Amino acid sequence: MDKKNSLRAGAVAAGSTLMMLLMSSPALALVRDDGDDPGPGLSVGETLGLYVVTPIVAFLVIAGLVVAGERMGQKER
């Protein structure tokens, strides 16, 4: 019964997400808004650092803190 409910919830979530993506209007990125002042673009290195390296480093730091906390908890027992 649990598997059936989780599959149904996943299907509903995927369906609603797909419908939202299909029904959304385009971002109109080519039309500038009043007062729009975009800055300079990011280089490839900056983009990779911001969107790839930074999340991986954050994940590793959090995982390391969790492992360190578990080891400290085991020593106290």
Side-chain angles (χ1 to χ4, degrees):
M1 191 65 148
D2 240 355
K3 187 175 182 180
K4 193 179 207 182
N5 287 340
S6 60
L7 286 174
R8 184 179 298 139
V12 169
S16 61
T17 302
L18 181 63
M19 289 304 294
M20 286 175 57
L21 287 173
L22 291 174
M23 297 295 191
S24 63
S25 62
L28 300 173
L30 297 177
V31 178
R32 298 277 181 193
D33 291 332
D34 290 339
D36 191 14
D37 188 20
L42 297 175
S43 70
V44 173
E46 291 171 334
T47 303
L48 288 175
L50 183 63
Y51 294 110
V52 176
V53 175
T54 304
I56 290 173
V57 169
F59 174 80
L60 292 175
V61 167
I62 293 169
L65 290 171
V66 169
V67 169
E70 287 292 322
R71 289 189 180 174
M72 294 289 275
Q74 286 178 357
K75 288 181 182 180
E76 292 176 1
R77 290 180 189 176

